[in-house]
């Protein structure tokens, strides 16, 4: 192979590698079912927003089934136009005290959102569920596994991080629960709706999107830098042969 051809090949390979790295960043960043906010206070109502921008191996999404942690006894799904919503109930082994001090004998174990029209792969959609986080879960990490069903196949987002903290292939959406507020309770309006939780969720979602965008830009820039370095090496090699 002549020097010029070899140099051109090296440059093309380096640029190709950089471009692939840059393009892969945003794809990888949006490749999960995520929940926001990422943290919330115990003894309070919190609106959790679940979102996804992909199908199952490019197959359109038909439904999402969210598993509710057993510690949570109060669950209120938001209505969503174009979707049917089902609360799957579970009998408790023994009565427990609910959010308002009442005795409850059953809880919502799952919430199922089913789309009237399947969501095409590559289009983002989300839904919200309000939960009451009991005081006893303060300091815990709560997972909300999600089964994503599609026209063809399904993906179960139910895996926990490894012992070393490494993210698994199909991580379960999760939140960290902080200490309760000073007054010990975080109640919303008379209808149980928590406007502050909605605001926190929106703020956290914006922050999450911004973080993802920053990560994608950083990785993208790193990819382009790899390509530039490759071009410099190739040109240097070419000049060395001419000398």
């Amino acid at each position: 192979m002549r020097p010029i051809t070899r140099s051109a090949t090296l440059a093309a390979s380096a640029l190709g590698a950089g471009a692939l790295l840059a393009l892969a960043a945003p794809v990888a960043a949006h490749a999960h079912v995520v929940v926001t906010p990422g943290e919330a206070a115990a003894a309070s109502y919190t609106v959790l927003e679940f979102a996804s921008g992909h199908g199952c191996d490019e197959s359109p999404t038909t439904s999402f089934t969210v598993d509710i942690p057993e510690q949570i006894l109060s669950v209120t799904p938001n209505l969503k136009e174009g979707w049917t919503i089902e609360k799957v109930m579970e009998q408790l082994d023994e009565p427990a005290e609910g959010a308002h001090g009442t005795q409850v004998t059953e809880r919502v174990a799952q919430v199922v959102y089913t789309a009237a029209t399947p969501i095409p792969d590559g289009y983002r959609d989300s839904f919200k569920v309000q939960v009451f986080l009991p005081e006893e879960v303060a300091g815990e990490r709560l997972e909300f596994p999600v089964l994503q069903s599609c026209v063809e196949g399904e993906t179960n987002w139910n895996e926990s991080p490894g012992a070393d903290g490494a993210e698994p292939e199909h991580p379960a959406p999760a939140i960290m629960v902080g200490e309760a507020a000073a007054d010990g309770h975080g109640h919303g309006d008379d209808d149980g709706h928590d406007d502050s939780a909605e605001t926190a969720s929106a703020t956290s979602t914006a922050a999450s999107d911004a973080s993802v965008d920053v990560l994608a830009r950083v990785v993208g820039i790193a990819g382009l830098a790899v390509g530039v370095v490759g071009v410099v090496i190739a040109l240097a090699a070419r000049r060395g042969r001419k000398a």
Side-chain angles (χ1 to χ4, degrees), residues 17 27 30 93 102 111 113-115 121 135 138 158 223 226 242:
V27 174
H30 291 85
D93 293 335
T102 57
V111 176
Y113 275 81
T114 303
D121 178 62
E135 192 166 1
N158 64 346
V226 171
K242 284 184 176 181

Side-chain angles (χ1 to χ4, degrees), residues 28-235:
H30 291 85
H32 306 321
V33 172
V34 297
V35 61
T36 53
E39 58 182 54
S44 69
Y45 285 97
T46 299
V47 177
L48 301 177
E49 181 177 21
F50 296 84
S52 175
H54 56 81
C56 308
D57 292 328
E58 300 185 357
S59 179
T61 299
T62 56
S63 69
F64 293 99
T65 300
V66 182
D67 287 344
I68 306 298
E70 61 182 9
Q71 301 96 319
I72 296 178
L73 302 180
S74 176
V75 179
T76 307
N78 277 33
L79 293 174
K80 182 174 174 63
E81 185 176 357
W83 295 70
T84 58
I85 306 166
E86 178 187 3
K87 294 192 291 186
V88 180
M89 307 304 295
E90 175 184 72
Q91 288 293 129
L92 300 178
D93 293 335
E94 57 184 39
E97 184 177 332
H100 297 284
T102 57
Q103 293 293 301
V104 296
T105 59
E106 62 178 4
R107 74 179 193 94
V108 178
Q110 293 180 324
V111 176
V112 184
Y113 275 81
T114 303
T117 302
I119 308 169
D121 178 62
Y123 286 83
R124 184 181 185 277
D125 208 337
S126 64
F127 56 90
K128 298 178 181 180
V129 178
Q130 179 180 271
V131 300
F132 180 80
L133 301 172
E135 192 166 1
E136 56 265 28
V137 299
E140 293 186 22
R141 179 179 182 274
L142 294 183
E143 294 186 345
F144 295 79
V146 175
L147 175 64
Q148 180 180 9
S149 300
C150 300
V151 174
E152 295 183 5
E154 60 184 25
T155 303
N156 204 353
W157 303 94
N158 64 346
E159 298 175 353
S160 303
D164 59 353
E167 185 177 79
E169 183 178 1
H170 300 108
I175 65 171
M176 286 299 301
V177 183
E179 295 299 323
D183 60 2
H185 277 285
H187 292 287
D189 303 331
D190 292 338
D191 63 356
H193 185 78
D194 188 358
D195 289 334
S196 63
E198 284 274 19
T199 302
S201 178
T203 302
S204 180
T205 300
S208 176
D209 289 344
S211 297
V212 167
D213 184 61
V214 170
L215 175 61
R217 289 173 184 272
V218 169
V219 178
I221 291 171
L224 292 176
V226 171
V228 171
V229 171
V231 172
V232 171
I233 293 173
L235 291 175

